[in-house]
């Protein structure tokens, strides 16, 4: 996605909120709505299915 690996770690740990541009790139990469990237609810693991969130 063109970001430093540390940025990914910050995003995963919730220590950094992405810019709109980065959020759109993340949403496109994972084929999800951008609202999911900015959600205040925990994001379920991809491929885990809704039952194991």
């Amino acid at each position: 996605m063109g970001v430093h690996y540390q940025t990914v770690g910050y995003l995963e740990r919730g220590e950094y909120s992405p810019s709109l541009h980065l959020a759109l790139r993340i949403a496109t990469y994972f084929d999800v709505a951008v609202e999911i990237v900015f959600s205040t609810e925990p994001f379920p693991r991809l491929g885990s299915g809704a039952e194991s969130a």
Side-chain angles (χ1 to χ4, degrees):
M1 287 184 289
V3 298
H4 194 272
Y5 75 93
Q6 287 180 322
T7 301
V8 175
Y10 292 139
L11 291 166
E12 290 175 336
R13 292 187 301 274
E15 297 173 1
Y16 172 75
S17 295
S19 65
L20 178 57
H21 181 73
L22 179 54
L24 289 168
R25 290 184 4 225
I26 292 169
T28 300
Y29 182 86
F30 288 108
D31 194 27
V32 297
V34 72
E35 291 85 355
I36 292 174
V37 178
F38 282 118
S39 176
T40 58
E41 299 296 317
F43 188 78
R45 290 182 165 272
L46 293 173
S48 65
E51 69 280 354
S52 61

